[in-house]
Amino acid sequence: ETFDATSVEAWRARVAGFAVVVHCDCATDEELVACGAACREAGAAFVAAEARGVFASCFCDFGPEWVVADPDGEPATSCLVSSITTAHPALVTVVDDQRHGLEKGDEVSFSSCVGMADALNDATFTVVSVSSPYAFEIDLDATGLEPYVSSGYATKVKKGVTLRHKDARTALDAPGEFLTSDFAKFERPASIHAGFRALRAWRRDHAAASSSGPRFPATVAEAREVLARCKAALGEGGASSSLDEKAVLALALGAWGELAPIAAFLGGVVGQEALKACTGKFVPVSQFFYFDAMEALPAARGLGDTATLADDGSFAPVGDRYDSYRVVFGERVAAALRAQTYFLVGAGAIGCEVLKNWALMGVGAAPEGHITVTDMDRIEKSNLSRQLLFRATDIGHAKSQCAARAVCDAADGLNPAMHIAALELRVGGETEDTFDDAFYAGLDGVCTALDNVDARLYVDSRCVFYGKPMLESGTLGTKGNTQVVVPGVTEPYSATRDPPEKSVPVCTLKNFPNRIEHTLQWARDWFEGAFKQSVDDVNTYLKHAQTKNNTAPAGAGGPGFDKLDALRRVKTALVDSRPVAFADCVAWARLQFQECFHDSIAQLLHNFPADQVTPSGAPFWSGAKRAPAPIVFDADDALHLAYVKAAARLRASNYGIFPTALDEADANVRAVVSAVHVPTFVPRDGVRISANDAEEKEAQEKAKAGHASSDDLSPDELDIQCAELLAALPSPASLAGFELAPCEFDKDDDAHMAFVAACSNLRARNYKIPEADVHQSRLIAGKIIPAIATTTALVAGLICLELVKLVTATLERTPPTLESLKCGFANLALPLFAFSEPRPPATTVAKIPGGRRQGDEWAWTVWDSIRIDDRPDMTLKELVDYFDDEFGLEVSMLSHGVSILFSSFAAAKARERMPMTLKTLVETVTKKPVLPNKKYLTLEVMLQDEDFEEVELPYAASSSSDSRCPRWTRGEVDDTFLRTDWVQTCGRGVFALRYERPVSPGSVAASARSLLSRRRGGGVGRRCLLLVAAPSCLFPDSFGARRTSSSQRPSSPSIVCVDV
């Protein structure tokens, strides 16, 4: 069928009935305009996407008036109101644990207010001014109203926005302001816009000469034609003079290439735009967005000097699946990608996207290439929505195994040539025997696809120790970030950390909640105590009762009242409330309801009545404290019944009771609870309840110290009560083979969440806190980090582009510059894209007070270390002497992990340990053997000078095995070796120098003098032996070096004896 892509009429039939149309890889401007016009007529949102080499383009036209219901997707800010003045305008002050985040003109609604209720509750007001982060004024005349008391919430009202988009024809000619992603490339989007138009025009004019449709420029001459069209379209003047010619040439030369990382990034952006068009949620791109990764192009592409740009055969396609990478990056980079050995930690949402990209890029597909992927998790049904390598048949299987099979399966894998080893191991201290020195030594880098900070920090520490680059990324809903870590060039991941998660005071959780998060945490803690901890206590007792003749539980080894509480729980579970049928579980649940939501609340109000005031005269129940109200059980209340049924089910599962459908029927449960005798509650005097967190903390400290118990019993009284409880327990013989089944909380277990949600909402009802449904409760209680396919695709694409840059830098034998690397942050909801260069590592300057390096100033970073190679037999005394001889510093403390190996304050132990080898010392102190495959022992050293001032140096790494592998250190690490690229000390007076560029004999002599001057007094004397390797390096007799090797081949070692 012949289709005229430039005809609006032809497009009308194709787009009819669709709400959104996504047009990919448009060939001409006329096609773009025609499709966009047809979409406008049909009332459909129009999204156009185009990926060419390292460039990407996105255009959105959602029509003349597009209403965005939720601009950012963030939950509405809600704060607990502390006070409201009776003035005009009324000043609202919120509690100081959360900023209100409001601005002048925002709208805010109120709920649950005690005092001013008629005027505030369910009403909406406008913010007329913002006094502080915790106070604002509203357009309310409160002069005649009753005073505000407490319990109110102020919630920001989210308002929709209306956007107006230009049609495609107008936007092409007058694009307006572009969505900026990188301020280092602030002016480039205009050039890329002109370049894309010129490229499409060139393709249109050359389509007739190609039987397969519009083709792309294939030579430098054709790329220059695109540039000429671009200049002609812009005309003479400012627009043409500001054109980035390199960008246009790079676009034209690489347009044929379709790169997986660029497609993944653009696919994430465009996929989210399509969702915005379908839902009206989030702000669409307005209207052109351009992205480029020109910094990833190799120097061999020749764009450094466009005047001398010429065709290079290494960038020509050869007809295989890697031609796109060959055309854009050249054969050397394409081949090097296939030879990479990488460690992928995590095979979840991001891990799957990374593996997909690597398969299309060919990473690890060469004979010498290899990928190791590890993930402990198993595939769950919920994973299928965003982890693209998994299918329904994979549910329950290991993520790493299924991901590897989907990528390299010989029958239907994405790239059967890839070499992947799939593991199910956690990356941590317990697996260092697998991920050991040899494992990391064989890697080119590490890519993390993790979902927690602790794991990232551990992997980061390994990369710092072994000097490996790390590619890091993460997502949170529509937000995503990437970070590239390069040894010696950038700061590590651990250099900057998010602030710790704000903890909720225990007193707030126990007695004074004011947010649904508090009640959910309380419900989770109650779940843990009732269905896990008490069951563990019983099982511990049963184990001891059957083996040690009725001794107390293992948990009773602490303070006496801990033992007493544990025994009480055991007696309750085995004697007082041991169920034999589901009806007993229902009765137990009914009594727990009474205790949790009525009796304990009544006791709290007895201690702190609703009208109580503080010593200062302020109401006790004010600010963050919300006065609760007891709940009277009602079997006809759905929430009450849901709690009883959920608690009874979990109790039954503990005891191995399996209820029938009839047992769980609402009518049967109502009948059981109606027959339960509930004792009338009478508040007790003398019960201590902490009124604030300071009192709670003091009570806990006393409890831990054993100075007080919940009953204030003396030690003798504790022993008597414990003996009485033990006597009341069943005999060991009667409990043979009996064991309870504990419930480990699982957010994905519907039975667990049914209880937690019901329990939380009942407590929320006690305190008049807005309740949450099961779905919201699951997100909060399970601490679920939302992950969507669009964001994961975007960050995976970005991180794979950084991999290309690292490979290119390795081939060019120069470390990547900070300017060429990009750390990214994106929020697809806004939309916002922010790219910046990573920060360099922080530098610590240490002035060396003595020894061979006396007077030196060593500027070191976290990437540096003091490595002592090939000395597995080094003793502690030799190490102490080393720091004295080399740096003139005294070792005041030496540690390995958490173990202190040496301390100058412990003189007796120090003398005893001095003759011990470091390996033996570590094994002795840690009481653990050093793994045979561990090459280095990491030692943290505290050093001080003769004035007892601490001098900070990097950690020390000593050989733990007799390994003769040479370890080169960068010359730039030490200013003494600035004239060399690499230096290795091979022995006293023998040094190996390696240069990566042609070097003059004078530089070699200067390095020799520098080496000798640093080591005077150390027995080196005035003569040293140099082993030198450098390209085009000659050693004539005239400069004072006597040549002892006649080999003059480039890069071959030459032995030179230098007399200074």
Side-chain angles (χ1 to χ4, degrees):
E1 179 184 357
T2 302
F3 177 77
D4 185 0
T6 62
S7 167
V8 177
E9 184 65 32
W11 280 108
R12 284 194 188 103
R14 289 207 168 184
V15 304
F18 291 99
V20 56
V21 174
V22 180
H23 193 310
C24 298
D25 295 331
C26 183
T28 66
D29 281 357
E30 291 77 10
E31 182 178 339
L32 186 71
V33 169
C35 185
C39 290
R40 279 225 162 191
E41 292 179 10
F46 175 57
V47 182
E50 197 171 350
R52 306 296 180 202
V54 294
F55 296 84
S57 164
C58 175
F59 170 73
C60 292
D61 174 16
F62 282 26
E65 288 191 356
W66 180 262
V67 178
V68 180
D70 183 357
D72 56 16
E74 299 294 333
T77 304
S78 183
C79 299
L80 187 64
V81 177
S82 176
S83 65
I84 303 177
T85 61
T86 53
H88 184 219
L91 177 66
V92 181
T93 304
V94 301
V95 294
D96 59 3
D97 64 344
Q98 182 182 1
R99 296 170 178 251
H100 57 65
L102 298 170
E103 297 178 357
K104 183 179 179 180
D106 286 343
E107 293 184 353
V108 61
S109 65
F110 292 84
S111 60
S112 305
C113 294
V114 177
M116 296 189 185
D118 293 339
L120 292 177
N121 288 340
D122 301 324
T124 301
F125 303 91
T126 301
V127 177
V128 296
S129 68
V130 175
S131 306
S132 75
Y134 306 101
F136 57 92
E137 292 182 324
I138 57 174
D139 59 342
L140 169 68
D141 184 358
T143 52
L145 300 178
E146 61 176 329
Y148 171 81
V149 180
S150 67
S151 303
Y153 286 96
T155 303
K156 180 180 179 180
V157 177
K158 301 189 73 171
K159 296 181 290 186
V161 297
T162 301
L163 303 178
R164 292 171 176 81
H165 283 176
K166 304 174 186 176
D167 62 80
R169 183 182 299 279
T170 305
L172 278 170
D173 294 331
E177 187 175 345
F178 298 100
L179 176 60
T180 303
S181 63
D182 189 343
F183 285 97
K185 308 173 182 178
F186 185 76
E187 297 181 351
R188 190 173 292 173
S191 296
I192 299 176
H193 178 74
F196 266 100
R197 296 199 69 184
L199 176 64
R200 287 193 287 263
W202 188 93
R203 295 187 66 204
R204 177 197 60 208
D205 294 345
H206 288 75
S210 174
S211 59
S212 58
R215 66 180 185 87
F216 294 96
T219 64
V220 170
E222 291 178 338
R224 293 191 185 280
E225 291 177 14
V226 175
L227 177 60
R229 283 176 178 270
C230 193
K231 290 181 176 180
L234 294 175
E236 300 296 331
S240 179
S241 61
S242 62
L243 181 67
D244 187 337
E245 296 187 10
K246 292 181 182 178
V248 176
L249 286 171
L251 171 62
L253 286 169
W256 186 87
E258 297 178 346
L259 307 181
I262 295 294
F265 170 83
L266 184 59
V269 174
V270 172
Q272 194 65 53
E273 295 306 301
L275 291 174
K276 295 174 185 178
C278 295
T279 62
K281 189 173 183 178
F282 307 150
V283 178
V285 170
S286 187
Q287 286 188 269
F288 277 103
F289 170 58
Y290 290 104
F291 170 82
D292 78 90
M294 279 184 61
E295 64 277 1
L297 296 174
R301 179 70 275 187
L303 291 171
D305 185 0
T306 57
T308 60
L309 186 63
D311 290 317
D312 186 339
S314 66
F315 289 83
V318 299
D320 64 11
R321 65 181 297 163
Y322 307 116
D323 271 350
S324 288
Y325 301 90
R326 191 173 287 109
V327 167
V328 176
F329 301 117
E331 169 58 26
R332 290 185 69 215
V333 175
L337 283 171
R338 298 195 293 276
Q340 291 295 293
T341 56
Y342 253 78
F343 184 26
L344 177 60
V345 188
I350 296 176
C352 282
E353 287 286 347
V354 169
L355 274 178
K356 176 206 72 176
N357 288 339
W358 285 359
L360 299 176
M361 297 164 67
V363 176
E368 64 272 29
H370 191 268
I371 293 171
T372 302
V373 57
T374 187
D375 196 308
M376 296 169 56
D377 289 347
R378 299 270 160 166
I379 299 167
E380 300 173 2
K381 187 175 182 180
S382 60
N383 299 147
L384 302 182
S385 65
R386 60 190 181 277
Q387 299 178 15
L388 78 163
L389 297 181
F390 305 143
R391 300 295 179 263
T393 54
D394 295 326
I395 294 175
H397 296 281
K399 287 185 176 181
S400 57
Q401 299 287 348
C402 292
R405 185 173 60 250
V407 167
C408 59
D409 184 73
D412 55 3
L414 293 176
N415 190 341
M418 292 180 69
H419 307 99
I420 301 181
L423 306 176
E424 298 178 53
L425 298 176
R426 179 180 178 272
V427 180
E430 67 274 20
T431 54
E432 288 185 1
D433 56 338
T434 300
F435 306 118
D436 56 10
D437 296 337
F439 174 80
Y440 280 99
L443 295 177
D444 290 311
V446 178
C447 180
T448 58
L450 295 161
D451 59 1
N452 69 89
V453 173
D454 289 341
R456 289 183 172 103
L457 289 172
Y458 175 81
V459 175
D460 176 70
S461 69
R462 295 290 83 194
C463 289
V464 170
F465 181 77
Y466 292 107
K468 300 297 179 182
M470 185 175 89
L471 305 173
E472 154 61 18
S473 58
T475 66
L476 179 64
T478 59
K479 304 183 188 75
N481 70 280
T482 62
Q483 181 180 356
V484 56
V485 176
V486 182
V489 178
T490 73
E491 65 179 12
Y493 172 81
S494 57
T496 55
R497 303 190 191 183
D498 292 333
E501 206 174 296
K502 192 173 183 180
S503 60
V504 181
V506 175
C507 191
T508 299
L509 290 177
K510 289 178 66 174
N511 302 312
F512 309 113
N514 56 65
R515 307 180 68 83
I516 194 66
E517 290 84 357
H518 301 163
T519 65
L520 279 165
Q521 184 60 52
W522 183 86
R524 275 206 58 179
D525 292 344
W526 204 93
F527 179 103
E528 185 76 13
F531 307 118
K532 175 69 168 58
Q533 183 179 343
S534 63
V535 173
D536 288 342
D537 287 339
V538 171
N539 289 339
T540 301
Y541 168 75
L542 293 175
K543 179 181 177 182
H544 281 255
Q546 294 163 16
T547 59
K548 298 185 179 180
N549 195 22
N550 236 19
T551 58
F561 64 89
D562 283 345
K563 176 179 178 179
L564 180 62
D565 289 343
L567 286 171
R568 284 172 175 169
R569 289 193 295 268
V570 172
K571 182 175 179 291
T572 300
L574 293 180
V575 179
D576 302 334
S577 302
R578 180 175 174 179
V580 295
F582 185 68
D584 297 328
C585 298
V586 172
W588 174 85
R590 169 65 182 90
L591 294 174
Q592 297 307 309
F593 180 102
Q594 188 71 14
E595 168 62 26
C596 292
F597 310 113
H598 181 276
D599 296 356
S600 63
I601 300 299
Q603 182 67 53
L604 181 64
L605 289 173
H606 177 74
N607 282 42
F608 306 110
D611 57 355
Q612 180 162 323
V613 295
T614 64
S616 63
F620 178 84
W621 295 104
S622 62
K625 291 185 173 72
R626 300 169 64 85
I631 297 176
V632 177
F633 183 80
D634 180 0
D636 293 325
D637 188 304
L639 182 59
H640 297 194
L641 200 64
Y643 171 86
V644 170
K645 291 175 66 174
R649 288 192 193 101
L650 293 172
R651 180 76 167 178
S653 70
N654 285 151
Y655 285 85
I657 297 171
F658 303 98
T660 64
L662 181 61
D663 290 334
E664 295 186 1
D666 289 354
N668 186 64
V669 173
R670 288 192 183 97
V672 174
V673 298
S674 65
V676 176
H677 172 68
V678 180
T680 302
F681 176 75
V682 178
R684 293 178 295 162
D685 293 328
V687 176
R688 289 203 305 270
I689 299 177
S690 301
N692 52 55
D693 202 46
E695 292 183 10
E696 180 68 25
K697 186 176 181 181
E698 182 182 354
Q700 288 183 347
E701 287 176 352
K702 286 183 178 180
K704 288 180 180 178
H707 299 316
S709 75
S710 56
D711 299 306
D712 278 344
L713 300 175
S714 68
D716 290 340
E717 291 172 323
L718 279 171
D719 290 340
I720 292 172
Q721 288 208 12
C722 287
E724 291 174 351
L725 287 169
L726 282 169
L729 292 174
S731 65
S734 66
L735 300 171
F738 182 77
E739 186 177 9
L740 300 186
C743 290
E744 294 273 2
F745 176 75
D746 182 356
K747 67 182 183 300
D748 295 319
D749 191 312
D750 291 339
H752 294 187
M753 279 311 306
F755 172 81
V756 169
C759 184
S760 168
N761 285 335
L762 283 169
R763 188 161 176 83
R765 195 170 290 184
N766 278 137
Y767 287 87
K768 305 179 186 66
I769 298 171
E771 299 169 21
D773 60 26
V774 175
H775 176 67
Q776 293 171 311
S777 299
R778 194 189 304 271
L779 291 176
I780 300 170
K783 298 182 179 180
I784 296 174
I785 300 174
I788 54 178
T790 51
T791 318
T792 53
L794 179 144
V795 298
L798 291 176
I799 213 65
C800 289
L801 284 173
E802 299 307 306
L803 169 60
V804 175
K805 297 175 188 178
L806 297 180
V807 171
T808 302
T810 301
L811 289 175
E812 294 175 352
R813 292 181 174 273
T814 58
T817 62
L818 289 174
E819 293 77 12
S820 69
L821 302 172
K822 296 295 179 183
C823 294
F825 172 79
N827 187 340
L828 291 174
L830 299 179
L832 170 69
F833 302 92
F835 297 97
S836 61
E837 63 188 46
R839 293 192 297 187
T843 300
T844 301
V845 179
K847 188 172 181 63
I848 309 301
R852 298 185 183 94
R853 301 182 59 169
Q854 182 175 8
D856 290 349
E857 288 191 354
W858 186 3
W860 59 272
T861 72
V862 68
W863 295 102
D864 298 321
S865 63
I866 300 171
R867 295 194 181 254
I868 304 171
D869 290 289
D870 304 329
R871 289 293 309 277
D873 56 346
M874 174 177 267
T875 65
L876 175 60
K877 184 179 187 309
E878 289 173 333
L879 181 67
V880 171
D881 292 343
Y882 169 82
F883 282 103
D884 187 20
D885 296 341
E886 189 73 12
F887 305 103
L889 295 172
E890 178 187 350
V891 178
S892 59
M893 186 174 292
L894 182 70
S895 60
H896 174 72
V898 297
S899 301
I900 297 177
L901 307 178
F902 167 83
S903 175
S904 58
F905 301 104
K909 281 190 176 181
R911 285 193 299 272
E912 176 187 337
R913 294 174 178 178
M914 279 294 182
M916 300 172 67
T917 67
L918 295 176
K919 180 180 178 181
T920 303
L921 177 60
V922 169
E923 292 177 330
T924 302
V925 175
T926 63
K927 296 179 173 60
K928 295 179 182 178
V930 175
L931 297 175
N933 55 350
K934 192 176 184 68
K935 180 181 176 183
Y936 288 102
L937 293 174
T938 306
L939 308 173
E940 292 80 28
V941 192
M942 290 184 64
L943 302 164
Q944 60 187 22
D945 59 19
E946 60 184 9
D947 297 324
F948 303 102
E949 294 291 332
E950 184 178 344
V951 178
E952 192 174 358
L953 291 181
Y955 67 89
S958 172
S959 296
S960 63
S961 60
D962 190 10
S963 173
R964 300 294 174 182
C965 298
R967 184 173 183 91
W968 298 92
T969 54
R970 268 288 184 187
E972 285 81 351
V973 170
D974 191 326
D975 59 357
T976 302
F977 305 141
L978 284 177
R979 291 186 174 84
T980 68
D981 289 303
W982 305 85
V983 61
Q984 184 188 14
T985 303
C986 304
R988 178 165 292 185
V990 182
F991 306 97
L993 308 180
R994 191 172 92 223
Y995 297 84
E996 294 179 347
R997 59 187 183 277
V999 63
S1000 68
S1003 294
V1004 177
S1007 296
R1009 294 188 186 97
S1010 182
L1011 287 165
L1012 287 174
S1013 65
R1014 287 286 299 279
R1015 287 159 174 77
R1016 280 179 185 154
V1020 176
R1022 297 177 55 81
R1023 177 164 294 198
C1024 69
L1025 189 66
L1026 300 183
L1027 301 171
V1028 181
S1032 306
C1033 188
L1034 300 177
F1035 305 105
D1037 295 332
S1038 59
F1039 83 107
R1042 180 166 52 84
R1043 187 168 67 243
T1044 59
S1045 172
S1046 60
S1047 173
Q1048 300 299 323
R1049 294 189 302 273
S1051 298
S1052 64
S1054 300
I1055 301 174
V1056 182
C1057 185
V1058 180
D1059 194 350
V1060 186

